[in-house]
Amino acid sequence: MSGVRIVEVSPRDGLQNESVRLTTAQKAELVERAVGFGARNVEVTSFVHPGKVPAMADAEDLMASLPARDGVAYSALILNERGLDRAIAAGVSEVNAVIHCTDTFSRRNQGTDIDGGVQIWHNIARTARAAGVTANLTVAVAFGCPFEGEVPLDRLRSIVSRVLEEPPAELSLADTIGVAVPVAVRERVAVAAELVTSGTALRAHFHDTRNCGIANALTAVEAGVSILDASLGGIGGCPFAPNATGNIATEDLAYALERSGIDHGLDTVALQEAGDWLEALFGRRLPAGVLHAGGFPTPSPVSN
Amino acid sequence: MSGVRIVEVSPRDGLQNESVRLTTAQKAELVERAVGFGARNVEVTSFVHPGKVPAMADAEDLMASLPARDGVAYSALILNERGLDRAIAAGVSEVNAVIHCTDTFSRRNQGTDIDGGVQIWHNIARTARAAGVTANLTVAVAFGCPFEGEVPLDRLRSIVSRVLEEPPAELSLADTIGVAVPVAVRERVAVAAELVTSGTALRAHFHDTRNCGIANALTAVEAGVSILDASLGGIGGCPFAPNATGNIATEDLAYALERSGIDHGLDTVALQEAGDWLEALFGRRLPAGVLHAGGFPTPSPVSN
């Protein structure tokens, strides 16, 4: 195993569902700390309707405040061509677009059905290419939908096959609502792996809603995924909406990878400091286990 | 996969570290609810020094209050011959003894080193057999020690080999401090599987301290473990001691097994009710994810 790249998504997926609202300057510090602990791709914001996701209304201001750094990509989530236009205008070099695996979820999140979502992706891919912007694609609710329940494997195969007519730089399978288990991850990553060509890297995105997130992440890596999303402290989800919970925690993922002998490239001391800072900023206990328990114990024999 | 038996350990491992102190009657209700959601082995208490574990001081009273039920074992943890004598006198039919993988942890928990622990187990096994009591053995800190750090694989092999001179009914590998990851589980369960004979079933015990507990549990099953410990609500650990956290949650384990196509024999509706009851009793949010998020969503298409 040559290593896994962790995409730090706390500024976007972590913050969009939190009751705690950070200022643009605080978000910039979060991004800065993520770069400081070694993240080379930080999903910093989303260019979506500010009325629908108020926490991301400062997308342009945040982008403008981030210093350019060699080897660091500040990526942004988009849902449609309008979002792409805004991202390009803001100088974003890498975008994460989304396709959904059920019509119901797609209509609610993207305002169109699956077929419409495929068309949006094709449009985004072409426009991004012309603009010199890297375009990734997330296949959302790939493991189950809160409205429709099971997502048939054949439907996933069909969706992946159709979106790959315009291959993304990274194709991500997302367990948007945290229902996946390892056998499903193995099965669904295999479907994606069969279909992608060499120019597309496999990525995955897990929530720890049912405490299966790290199990799913490690299984995804075994199945060929080389890029994983994670969120500092495991933030995300709203204390007032018990069904929404955070991404897998960057701290826990780094621990699990490291103890599995898989390189992750992060500085765990700086990571711990960043998590402590974020927890203090939030003023509540964050879900990351390693943040509180620490890493593997170093020997300290005591006299008896 | 023919199925996994889940041992409900919340009355013992769950409660011994909690700041919330239940009455004997409340513990009996917890046991009753565990039987109600389908647990066929409930670790109800420990016969240890009441000065060291005050929460278990009512071991005899609790045992006396539990109704005998066909097909249900109320098991108890013991650390030495004195504990076994108490358990036998209290009418316990199944005991869980402990051996530790480091001298430092063993001295602190059992008052003797590893060699002394092996001798204690041999004594316990013989006395239990003579008394007609089933004796299981937990190999504690099998994945790492808070004082000594790494536990060499050869030492684990040596310990397991020596304790098997008196084979337990169940041999459990325990990640006492929640440091394990799946590669370690695969490796260490394989060692145990090589050494046990057909009369000894493999069991495992995980804590979710670093959010790797379900990953470890599923890996253990793949590696040949047929019995897993879990705790209703994921209770355990003390809010005032952030390094101590609970067992894997029964709710989350049942979910992960079920979605993996592995039978667990529990009634998930009764399990949910028991978790809701326990959370109300504790008056704080318990760690079990499924307790709050629910199981896999059932289809409920909405009109758009």
Side-chain angles (χ1 to χ4, degrees):
Chain A
M1 173 52 57
S2 62
V4 164
R5 181 156 57 79
I6 299 178
V7 178
E8 179 59 41
V9 300
S10 57
R12 200 282 301 172
D13 203 9
L15 293 180
Q16 77 176 5
N17 288 312
E18 281 286 348
S19 59
V20 174
R21 193 66 60 86
L22 301 196
T23 66
T24 305
Q26 288 169 326
K27 291 181 185 178
E29 180 168 359
L30 174 57
V31 175
E32 184 73 8
R33 285 179 177 267
V35 173
F37 65 64
R40 290 298 164 261
N41 184 343
V42 185
E43 192 178 71
V44 297
T45 190
S46 59
F47 290 89
V48 293
H49 197 292
K52 291 194 176 166
V53 190
M56 300 291 123
D58 63 351
E60 277 83 358
D61 290 344
L62 177 61
M63 276 305 303
S65 76
L66 298 175
R69 290 175 179 276
D70 283 346
V72 174
Y74 304 124
S75 56
L77 181 139
I78 59 173
L79 285 173
N80 52 35
E81 298 89 336
R82 167 84 185 112
L84 176 61
D85 292 343
R86 284 177 60 201
I88 292 172
V92 171
S93 62
E94 182 168 339
V95 292
N96 300 313
V98 185
I99 179 92
H100 305 80
C101 287
T102 68
D103 284 328
T104 312
F105 202 100
S106 182
R107 287 195 194 97
R108 292 194 164 214
N109 203 38
Q110 203 168 22
T112 183
D113 58 12
I114 294 172
D115 290 345
V118 171
Q119 194 53 55
I120 289 173
W121 161 246
H122 289 167
N123 294 341
I124 285 173
R126 284 188 285 262
T127 306
R129 191 165 54 234
V133 167
T134 300
N136 306 319
L137 180 64
T138 291
V139 183
V141 286
F143 298 89
C145 170
F147 312 113
E148 298 193 22
E150 301 283 357
V151 170
L153 195 62
D154 282 346
R155 191 195 300 158
L156 176 71
R157 186 178 287 115
S158 158
I159 291 170
V160 171
S161 169
R162 288 158 69 197
V163 296
L164 285 175
E165 292 167 20
E166 292 285 350
E170 300 171 2
L171 181 81
S172 178
L173 296 188
D175 180 23
T176 309
I177 57 168
V179 290
V181 294
V183 291
V185 173
R186 211 170 284 134
E187 170 191 75
R188 281 156 201 252
V189 171
V191 163
E194 278 168 30
L195 293 169
V196 294
T197 51
S198 61
T200 297
L202 290 178
R203 177 171 164 178
H205 176 100
F206 297 108
H207 285 256
D208 213 8
T209 312
R210 289 164 182 83
N211 285 323
C212 298
I214 297 295
N216 295 331
L218 293 176
T219 302
V221 173
E222 283 181 359
V225 163
S226 59
I227 307 161
L228 286 166
D229 294 358
S231 191
L232 184 65
I235 63 169
C238 171
F240 308 107
N243 284 359
T245 65
N247 297 97
I248 55 171
T250 309
E251 295 92 326
D252 298 340
L253 178 59
Y255 176 86
L257 290 170
E258 194 161 313
R259 292 291 298 172
S260 304
I262 300 168
D263 183 50
H264 55 68
L266 302 188
D267 172 345
T268 53
V269 174
L271 179 57
Q272 177 74 35
E273 288 169 0
D276 288 338
W277 168 81
L278 191 65
E279 186 161 76
L281 193 63
F282 272 56
R284 65 175 171 86
R285 187 179 173 91
L286 299 182
V290 171
L291 177 59
H292 306 106
F296 194 86
T298 49
S300 60
V302 294
S303 59
N304 275 276
Chain B
M1 172 53 55
S2 62
V4 164
R5 181 157 56 78
I6 299 178
V7 178
E8 178 59 42
V9 301
S10 58
R12 202 280 302 172
D13 202 10
L15 293 179
Q16 75 175 6
N17 289 312
E18 281 286 347
S19 60
V20 175
R21 192 67 60 85
L22 300 196
T23 65
T24 305
Q26 288 170 327
K27 290 180 186 180
E29 179 167 359
L30 174 57
V31 174
E32 185 72 8
R33 285 179 178 268
V35 173
F37 64 66
R40 289 298 165 261
N41 183 343
V42 186
E43 192 180 69
V44 297
T45 189
S46 59
F47 289 90
V48 294
H49 196 293
K52 292 193 176 169
V53 189
M56 299 292 122
D58 63 351
E60 276 83 359
D61 290 345
L62 177 61
M63 277 304 304
S65 76
L66 298 175
R69 290 173 180 279
D70 283 346
V72 174
Y74 305 123
S75 56
L77 181 138
I78 59 172
L79 285 172
N80 51 36
E81 298 89 337
R82 167 82 185 113
L84 176 61
D85 292 343
R86 285 177 59 200
I88 292 173
V92 172
S93 62
E94 182 168 339
V95 292
N96 301 313
V98 185
I99 179 92
H100 304 81
C101 288
T102 69
D103 285 327
T104 311
F105 202 100
S106 182
R107 287 196 195 96
R108 292 194 163 214
N109 204 39
Q110 203 168 22
T112 184
D113 58 11
I114 294 172
D115 291 345
V118 171
Q119 194 54 55
I120 288 173
W121 161 246
H122 289 167
N123 294 342
I124 285 174
R126 284 189 285 261
T127 305
R129 191 166 53 235
V133 167
T134 300
N136 306 319
L137 181 65
T138 292
V139 183
V141 288
F143 298 89
C145 170
F147 311 114
E148 298 193 20
E150 301 284 356
V151 170
L153 196 62
D154 282 346
R155 191 194 300 159
L156 176 70
R157 186 178 287 113
S158 160
I159 291 170
V160 171
S161 170
R162 289 157 70 197
V163 296
L164 285 175
E165 292 168 18
E166 290 286 350
E170 300 171 0
L171 181 82
S172 177
L173 296 188
D175 180 23
T176 309
I177 59 168
V179 291
V181 294
V183 291
V185 173
R186 210 168 285 135
E187 171 191 73
R188 281 159 199 250
V189 171
V191 163
E194 278 168 30
L195 293 169
V196 294
T197 50
S198 60
T200 297
L202 291 177
R203 175 170 164 180
H205 177 99
F206 296 108
H207 285 257
D208 214 8
T209 313
R210 288 164 183 82
N211 285 324
C212 298
I214 297 294
N216 295 332
L218 293 176
T219 302
V221 173
E222 284 180 357
V225 163
S226 60
I227 308 161
L228 285 167
D229 294 358
S231 191
L232 183 66
I235 63 167
C238 169
F240 307 107
N243 283 359
T245 65
N247 296 98
I248 55 171
T250 308
E251 296 92 326
D252 298 339
L253 178 59
Y255 176 86
L257 290 171
E258 193 161 315
R259 292 291 299 171
S260 302
I262 300 168
D263 182 50
H264 54 68
L266 302 188
D267 171 346
T268 53
V269 174
L271 179 57
Q272 177 74 36
E273 289 170 358
D276 289 338
W277 168 81
L278 191 65
E279 186 162 76
L281 193 64
F282 273 56
R284 65 177 171 83
R285 187 179 172 91
L286 299 182
V290 171
L291 177 60
H292 308 106
F296 194 88
T298 48
S300 61
V302 296
S303 58
N304 278 275

